[in-house]
Amino acid sequence: MSNATKISTNRDILGASALRPDGAAKVSGKFEFSSDLHAEHMLWGATLRSPHPFARIISIDFSAAYKISGVEAIITAQDVPGKKTYGLIASDQPVFASEIVRYVGEPIVAVAADHPETCRRALAAIKVVYEVLTPITDAEVALLPQTLQIHPDGNLIRHQRIVTGDQDLQGDVIVEGTYEMGMQDQAFLGLEAALAIPDSGGAGVEMYVATQWLHEDQKQIAACLNLPLDKIRLTLGGVGGAFGAREDISLQVHCALLALHTSRPIKMQYSREESFYGHVHRHPAKIWIRHHATRSGVIQRIESRMVFDGGAYASTSSAVLINGITHIQGPYKCSNATVDGFAVRTNNPPCGAMRGFGVVQACYAHESQMDKLAVACGLSPVEVRLVNAMVTGDKLITGQVVESVAPVARCITETDSIAMPAPLAHDANALEIVGGSGLTSLPHNIVRGVGWGVSIKNLMYSDSFDDFATARCRLQDGVVHLKYATVEVGQGFVILAPQIARSVLGVDEVVIDPVDTRIGSAGSTSASRQTWMSGGAVDGACRLVRQRLFEHVGKLHDIDPLRLVIEDTDVVDMLGDFRISVIEASTGVLFEETFEHHHRPTEELDANGQGNCHVAFAFVAHRAVVDVDVELGLVKVIQIATAQDVGRVLNPIAALGQIEGGIAQGLGLAVMEEIVLDNGKMRNPSFTDYLLPTALDAPEVVAIMIEEPEPQAPLGAKGIGEPPCISVTPAIAAAIRNATGRDLPRVPIRPQDICL
Amino acid sequence: MTVAIPQTLREALAFSSANPNAQIIQGGTDLMVEINFNHRKPTDVIALRRVEEIRNYAYTADKSKVIVGAGLPYQKMEHGEIAELFPALAQAARTVGSPQIRAAGSIGGNLGTCSPAGDALPVLSALNAEVNLRTETGSRDISVHDFMIGVKRNDRKPGELIISVTLPIIQGWQGYAKVGVRNAMVISVASCCLVVDRKLGAISVALGAVGPTIIRCRETEQWLATQIDLKSISAVAPNLLKEFGERIANESKPIDDHRSTAAYRRHAVATLSRRLLVRANTK
Ligand SMILES: Cc1cc2nc3c(=O)[nH]c(=O)nc-3n(C[C@H](O)[C@H](O)[C@H](O)COP(=O)(O)OP(=O)(O)OC[C@H]3O[C@@H](n4cnc5c(N)ncnc54)[C@H](O)[C@@H]3O)c2cc1C
């Protein structure tokens, strides 16, 4: 028997504001991002891209490029040994365009050379002759039957309807509108980069890459290279943000191909400008929507037509569409619906995943409508939302019953209880009011407005997809080793995983093994899913190990393992006075378990859009207070108040980080972030002109986390990554409407939209 | 590539006269961006960062003017004596980029680049600054109006260094305002500098980002002088204010681009100039 005594420590277990281990390194510039990777004798890879949104490739001549000393390889579609195309859902995107280019920036050739500058010269020396075609850049035009189909798969990526209930119902109150959203970029700070090291003999490749999902990359790379899966081994390179833009393949296949071609390590990395061309964006959307309601504001029916511009290739457009149409009712009860959704192919840059995934577009439309409904019924924005707030057990327009905890009303009332910011002082510091350092405005030029946004967001993948997660736990000598392929993109799994292990196993020392494909998939770091899914896998593996430990201790000390529990860092007999430290109990013994966490199965929607297509839901409310210089159309967001349904807070500081970051991203979409397109060409592929919020643009955030543990979730915690950025955009738009009296049916709202 | 790092102005001038096509670099906040984008591939570079003589300021002998070194970083103009003498310059300096950019960027570089959106330039224009150019053997002073000749084009001759600008000390209100689509670190969509000379009873208004180069609104300036007595502070009647803004807008020549529209820019300079005039006449 041990005489270990119980020591109470400030341990970094679940619930503690444990600090991320990579935090200081990132802030001080010491963190190794993928773009910092290096290998002996490596070559650099670079990509030649189309300058045209739509053109036929007549010829490619790289004889001059080959003559440049230092150029080691030039590859095109002909050099792709396996599948010539890739894609997350439909495999419709060529690794290299060979006959037709369908968007500006589409890859045509890749080169490998001894220096980035040699690469640049080689690209400049390649002569591509194009027959320029007229691009189709309007999604509505692309849908017309007489329009040229710009891809063999057609211009319609997916059409899905939701038809339920009374199709003829007319409400006493009817409000409608058409809402538009521009193309937002994920604008992560760590640019795309990878290092590929070929196996000797060229039978495989070792890759270090910044991605969101190692196993999906592995699968797609292997198919294009025509190699077995186990010949493509991926290790996660340091990731500097993702927000959806790293779900699709960018440079992975090119980099691996060049490595096999040259038998040398290849480093590829994009510049900021190339990054804008090299990844998918948030779908621009146009949404018509009509609400039927009673005079007291109760929603009876919605009708909607939603068009998402998917750009040149499918990426995840079809899933984005499903999310859009299935969330168009918002977090509100509604039994009758007629919804028509289209994901459309155009010659615009391809669009795919971005934080909020289709729900951002839907939410902007339904929340704009809620305010119209409030006015029509003489209700306040809060009242109209409370009247309609959904609860657990409600049936969605897809027929799915909301089984998740659904504290919608509580999100609204708790947000409403947050104190309003102080009124703008007449002697306010000029830098801190609208116009900021531009000194455009004085307090008397400024009008304050308040607006609301509330949202519902699905968690995990939908539509019958089994996006499971795998984790292995090893305990020996009081030290836990965790192994998983869960990608850290900044969301904080790197601290959450050890917190889980410490809580379950009573250890303090937790080592995270390299994140790579030498274990089963963890699924993607997206859809607000890793805390739930990989958290569930780590929790499951640790619990299995704990069971082995209890069995071991029980056997040695003749105690029924069922009586044993972990208390702090000890194994304790609940019914007796036996106690042994986990360190001692595990000395010289190895316990190892692997666990796969699967969420409950989901279904595909039927022709009428009916089916249990989602796993679970999370809710959030936002109230925005903005100051507007109405005459100049300039905006400053003063405060965002929010109450978010989080299930359970596992790490308060990390949760707050997600909330504040999401709000900044939603603010960007509301008032400044847009890729400006002109006939398929990006006009602002740089941080000079693609504007992200600065510290002077970021509002005060007052956040309440509503903790009602989710029974379905392994740790009781819901995903919290996406909700913060969803309803904050319509809340800000509503606040600007409130200040200006303008309609503002499109975001981002530009100065000229307000004042001209 | 060779990089000369002169320690004194004399050394710098010797280098530039010997190698008139060498690329000058001061803060590098414009030049390095161009080099990174491969828009410029200098073979020889003269770095002025160590030349202390152009990183400070001094009064002229009669104390009527101040000579501001071409290499003085914006950061040093935000507060202190320069800010007190030339509030519009301090305000323009504060709107430039971020603290990092303001620690490096300079008026010499702003003039060297000569972008219509350069924030120091409307102030130099409204103050009727002189640009002081020097070679190893000669020097010339040229009005800033003649120095700026087009979009990113100026009158600097090969081998010349911009060593300073001379700014007259003016009795009266002055201010700068700039519209951008975020509250800091943003390229100007439209900007305006207004300077009132109470002694002469004159006003000058210069606009940024609404034409190929900085626009001085001379017609409106003269018109306003016939409408109100600029030697004293008096409220400007609303209809006069309105006409003032309209006249300013008419003198601007903005275009539509990805940052904004011509219509908005016209509206913005009308609004900014009116606001500045009101500020001038309430203080
Ligand atoms: C992130 C960022 C934000 C910015 N924001 C702003 C902004 O808000 N407003 C704004 O106006 N600008 C802005 N700029 C542009 C830049 O900072 C300014 O134009 C600045 O004044 C340039 O000064 P510099 O000393 O860095 O010039 P440099 O880059 O060193 O030089 C610029 C040009 O001037 C020439 N030159 C420099 N000094 C001399 C000299 N003494 N004699 C002859 N030629 C010379 C150089 O040869 C070069 O052609 C920004 C730049 C960046 C990177």
Side-chain angles (χ1 to χ4, degrees):
Chain A
M1 166 113 41
S2 155
N3 41 17
T5 47
K6 189 181 155 189
I7 310 166
S8 229
T9 50
N10 258 346
R11 300 175 55 231
D12 280 341
I13 54 173
L14 289 175
S17 272
L19 297 179
R20 338 171 30 116
D22 56 354
K26 279 179 175 164
V27 171
S28 59
K30 293 188 184 107
F31 183 81
E32 190 183 60
F33 290 98
S34 286
S35 44
D36 299 318
L37 291 164
H38 181 86
E40 288 294 302
H41 307 299
M42 74 180 190
L43 296 168
W44 297 80
T47 319
L48 182 74
R49 297 173 181 276
S50 165
H52 304 294
F54 196 30
R56 197 179 306 285
I57 299 173
I58 304 296
S59 64
I60 307 174
D61 174 6
F62 33 74
S63 51
Y66 255 130
K67 288 186 192 128
I68 297 172
S69 132
V71 173
E72 299 287 338
I74 302 180
I75 59 172
T76 64
Q78 287 176 357
D79 301 295
V80 180
K83 213 154 70 123
K84 305 276 186 194
T85 56
Y86 66 91
L88 278 167
I89 297 177
S91 182
D92 70 339
Q93 181 156 3
V95 174
F96 293 109
S98 55
E99 287 162 26
I100 303 269
V101 286
R102 296 187 179 84
Y103 71 97
V104 174
E106 181 159 2
I108 303 168
V109 179
V111 302
D114 57 3
H115 192 276
E117 177 59 18
T118 319
C119 288
R120 199 193 56 74
R121 286 189 199 142
L123 295 183
I126 297 171
K127 290 187 195 71
V128 184
V129 178
Y130 299 94
E131 178 196 342
V132 176
L133 306 169
T134 307
I136 315 281
T137 55
D138 180 330
E140 293 285 2
V141 172
L143 276 178
L144 297 174
Q146 67 269 29
T147 302
L148 178 77
Q149 303 293 298
I150 60 173
H151 189 282
D153 293 356
N155 291 353
L156 180 64
I157 297 171
R158 182 164 177 180
H159 171 226
Q160 176 69 51
R161 308 193 69 197
I162 297 178
V163 179
T164 189
D166 184 346
Q167 294 298 294
D168 302 315
L169 187 147
Q170 295 291 310
D172 286 342
V173 177
I174 298 177
V175 289
E176 73 175 270
T178 300
Y179 305 95
E180 279 186 70
M181 185 169 280
M183 183 182 282
Q184 190 180 17
D185 188 62
Q186 298 84 348
F188 48 60
L189 295 185
L191 295 160
E192 288 89 346
L195 175 69
I197 302 173
D199 294 349
S200 62
V205 61
E206 185 88 40
M207 282 194 86
Y208 300 82
V209 60
T211 177
Q212 284 178 246
W213 188 357
L214 290 164
H215 286 78
E216 176 64 27
D217 280 9
Q218 181 191 35
K219 196 175 88 191
Q220 294 191 50
I221 298 166
C224 295
L225 266 54
N226 199 22
L227 285 171
L229 268 188
D230 62 354
K231 295 293 176 197
I232 311 292
R233 297 172 311 276
L234 267 67
T235 302
L236 185 65
V239 186
F243 311 110
R246 294 187 210 269
E247 281 207 339
D248 290 80
I249 292 283
S250 56
L251 42 63
Q252 289 89 327
V253 179
H254 302 155
C255 193
L257 275 172
L258 287 172
L260 292 179
H261 226 80
T262 57
S263 302
R264 299 263 297 268
I266 299 286
K267 166 87 176 280
M268 279 186 97
Q269 69 183 58
Y270 289 171
S271 66
R272 176 58 58 191
E273 183 179 5
E274 189 170 19
S275 176
F276 274 97
Y277 295 114
H279 65 241
V280 299
H281 312 285
R282 190 190 297 291
H283 290 74
K286 190 167 175 184
I287 300 173
W288 169 83
I289 177 167
R290 178 189 283 157
H291 278 74
H292 299 260
T294 66
R295 287 210 173 79
S296 51
V298 176
I299 298 168
Q300 294 170 297
R301 178 180 172 214
I302 51 173
E303 298 173 84
S304 182
R305 182 172 183 278
M306 310 177 72
V307 179
F308 286 79
D309 182 349
Y313 294 103
S315 177
T316 48
S317 285
S318 56
V320 168
L321 176 75
I322 295 311
N323 258 22
I325 61 169
T326 58
H327 287 76
I328 192 66
Q329 73 185 99
Y332 309 113
K333 297 171 193 281
C334 177
S335 3
N336 307 294
T338 320
V339 183
D340 232 339
F342 303 86
V344 186
R345 190 189 308 274
T346 65
N347 292 115
N348 286 322
C351 290
M354 180 171 176
R355 197 176 196 175
F357 204 76
V359 182
V360 168
Q361 293 87 336
C363 184
Y364 174 60
H366 68 64
E367 286 307 274
S368 299
Q369 284 286 100
M370 291 309 280
D371 291 332
K372 282 191 185 168
L373 187 59
V375 170
C377 299
L379 298 173
S380 74
V382 168
E383 285 163 348
V384 77
R385 288 170 170 86
L386 285 175
V387 162
N388 290 289
M390 126 190 331
V391 297
T392 303
D394 277 343
K395 205 171 178 195
L396 301 174
I397 57 175
T398 55
Q400 176 165 8
V401 173
V402 177
E403 289 174 15
S404 294
V405 168
V408 180
R410 216 180 135 194
C411 288
I412 298 169
T413 52
E414 298 222 6
T415 301
D416 199 27
S417 75
I418 294 171
M420 281 284 183
L424 181 62
H426 61 90
D427 59 349
N429 176 352
L431 275 182
E432 282 168 14
I433 66 175
V434 181
S437 65
L439 304 180
T440 52
S441 319
L442 292 174
H444 71 265
N445 303 123
I446 296 169
V447 180
R448 184 157 282 191
V450 181
W452 279 82
V454 187
S455 59
I456 171 173
K457 175 69 184 57
N458 64 319
L459 307 173
M460 277 72 74
Y461 281 26
S462 302
D463 230 11
S464 83
F465 199 87
D466 179 20
D467 50 318
F468 66 94
T470 318
R472 186 180 74 206
C473 172
R474 234 180 222 168
L475 168 66
Q476 189 171 22
D477 302 335
V479 179
V480 163
H481 282 253
L482 295 176
K483 173 86 184 174
Y484 47 71
T486 309
V487 168
E488 174 63 45
V489 300
Q491 84 278 22
F493 199 69
V494 72
I495 182 64
L496 181 68
Q499 284 180 276
I500 295 170
R502 290 187 194 108
S503 292
V504 176
L505 285 166
V507 293
D508 278 326
E509 210 180 325
V510 182
V511 179
I512 296 175
D513 289 342
V515 175
D516 57 32
T517 48
R518 285 165 178 86
I519 184 169
S521 176
S524 173
T525 298
S526 56
S528 302
R529 62 180 288 287
Q530 287 299 23
T531 294
W532 183 312
M533 297 303 299
S534 286
V538 168
D539 184 57
C542 292
R543 282 168 190 274
L544 288 176
V545 163
R546 186 174 64 187
Q547 206 171 313
R548 296 288 93 77
L549 175 71
F550 288 166
E551 284 161 11
H552 171 76
V553 172
K555 203 164 169 191
L556 275 183
H557 301 277
D558 200 23
I559 306 174
D560 181 349
L562 285 177
R563 293 168 47 157
L564 296 174
V565 292
I566 298 282
E567 211 179 85
D568 276 349
T569 51
D570 295 339
V571 178
V572 173
D573 178 3
M574 276 191 297
L575 306 176
D577 55 6
F578 172 83
R579 171 182 292 271
I580 183 171
S581 76
V582 173
I583 296 180
E584 198 179 336
S586 62
T587 296
V589 206
L590 172 69
F591 307 95
E592 179 180 319
E593 292 289 344
T594 299
F595 187 80
E596 260 181 26
H597 184 75
H598 293 255
H599 59 66
R600 68 164 179 202
T602 58
E603 303 166 353
E604 286 183 33
L605 294 180
D606 68 15
N608 285 326
Q610 301 299 295
N612 297 316
C613 70
H614 296 306
V615 179
F617 300 95
F619 305 87
V620 63
H622 291 102
R623 183 191 68 202
V625 176
V626 305
D627 279 350
V628 185
D629 181 330
V630 180
E631 195 181 14
L632 278 176
L634 302 177
V635 175
K636 181 170 168 94
V637 182
I638 300 300
Q639 185 204 55
I640 300 293
T642 178
Q644 186 170 330
D645 156 41
V646 300
R648 192 176 149 216
V649 180
L650 304 179
N651 182 326
I653 195 173
L656 188 62
Q658 287 296 310
I659 290 173
E660 290 181 345
I663 284 170
Q665 205 155 25
L667 180 154
L669 179 58
V671 296
M672 62 181 83
E673 284 189 47
E674 180 174 9
I675 293 179
V676 180
L677 292 170
D678 177 8
N679 217 15
K681 292 190 181 168
M682 283 187 212
R683 300 289 305 278
N684 55 340
S686 75
F687 279 174
T688 307
D689 285 316
Y690 182 88
L691 298 182
L692 295 164
T694 67
L696 271 187
D697 301 287
E700 175 201 19
V701 171
V702 187
I704 292 174
M705 300 183 211
I706 295 178
E707 294 195 75
E708 294 184 16
E710 169 65 33
Q712 267 196 83
L715 304 164
K718 289 186 175 182
I720 57 163
E722 294 175 283
C725 86
I726 297 173
S727 36
V728 70
T729 305
I732 291 169
I736 300 173
R737 289 180 190 127
N738 180 242
T740 62
R742 293 262 174 157
D743 244 1
L744 306 174
R746 184 185 190 282
V747 283
I749 296 167
R750 298 160 297 198
Q752 58 266 34
D753 300 330
I754 294 174
C755 71
L756 290 188
Chain B
M1 187 165 105
T2 66
V3 181
I5 309 178
Q7 308 290 317
T8 63
L9 182 57
R10 188 206 291 234
E11 262 177 57
L13 291 168
F15 277 125
S16 67
S17 295
N19 193 350
N21 292 320
Q23 184 70 54
I24 315 285
I25 183 167
Q26 177 64 55
T29 59
D30 275 324
L31 188 70
M32 290 312 295
V33 176
E34 291 194 31
I35 290 175
N36 283 339
F37 275 108
N38 265 299
H39 295 163
R40 237 181 244 245
K41 270 173 269 174
T43 46
D44 299 307
V45 174
I46 303 174
L48 300 182
R49 185 67 81 94
R50 302 266 166 83
V51 180
E52 282 305 323
E53 293 119 293
I54 62 166
R55 289 173 67 87
N56 47 31
Y57 67 93
Y59 286 89
T60 52
D62 65 358
K63 301 253 170 168
S64 69
K65 294 173 182 168
V66 174
I67 301 163
V68 178
L72 186 72
Y74 291 116
Q75 189 194 54
K76 299 275 196 267
M77 303 170 205
E78 289 180 50
H79 309 285
E81 202 171 6
I82 296 223
E84 277 157 35
L85 291 169
F86 308 104
L89 185 61
Q91 292 163 3
R94 176 59 184 83
T95 78
V96 174
S98 58
Q100 295 90 327
I101 299 297
R102 295 197 292 278
S106 66
I107 290 184
N110 222 223
L111 282 167
T113 300
C114 214
S115 154
D119 280 311
L121 305 183
V123 180
L124 299 187
S125 172
L127 290 175
N128 295 317
E130 283 200 330
V131 181
N132 312 122
L133 297 140
R134 190 86 79 82
T135 61
E136 197 173 21
T137 51
S139 74
R140 64 178 176 122
D141 301 332
I142 173 175
S143 155
V144 71
H145 310 304
D146 300 327
F147 184 75
M148 302 185 291
I149 54 182
V151 181
K152 301 205 170 181
R153 280 172 51 230
N154 63 35
D155 189 51
R156 188 179 81 91
K157 307 282 186 294
E160 278 183 331
L161 288 186
I162 305 166
I163 58 157
S164 58
V165 292
T166 306
L167 308 178
I169 298 170
I170 294 171
Q171 303 304 321
W173 189 91
Q174 53 179 255
Y176 180 71
K178 153 181 167 182
V179 169
V181 185
R182 66 183 167 195
N183 288 306
M185 185 86 162
V186 67
I187 293 185
S188 170
V189 157
S191 70
C192 181
C193 180
L194 185 145
V195 175
V196 185
D197 188 330
R198 293 282 178 220
K199 253 196 179 141
L200 290 181
I203 186 176
S204 52
V205 181
L207 309 177
V210 288
T213 181
I214 305 306
I215 291 177
R216 258 300 281 276
C217 304
R218 297 201 188 267
E219 284 175 23
T220 309
E221 292 169 7
Q222 280 155 22
W223 167 81
L224 189 71
T226 66
Q227 303 294 311
I228 55 172
D229 175 14
L230 288 162
K231 287 187 170 153
S232 65
I233 296 175
S234 57
V236 188
N239 59 335
L240 200 68
L241 205 54
K242 185 158 175 285
E243 187 172 349
F244 174 71
E246 282 162 5
R247 282 171 176 267
I248 293 286
N250 283 339
E251 290 199 57
S252 72
K253 299 184 192 69
I255 53 163
D256 283 334
D257 65 14
H258 56 281
R259 287 183 194 137
S260 190
T261 63
Y264 177 78
R265 288 182 158 117
R266 229 174 263 122
H267 171 79
V269 290
T271 309
L272 292 180
S273 60
R274 275 193 274 110
R275 288 183 180 181
L276 292 176
L277 185 59
V278 170
R279 287 178 207 173
N281 281 282
T282 46
K283 282 197 179 125

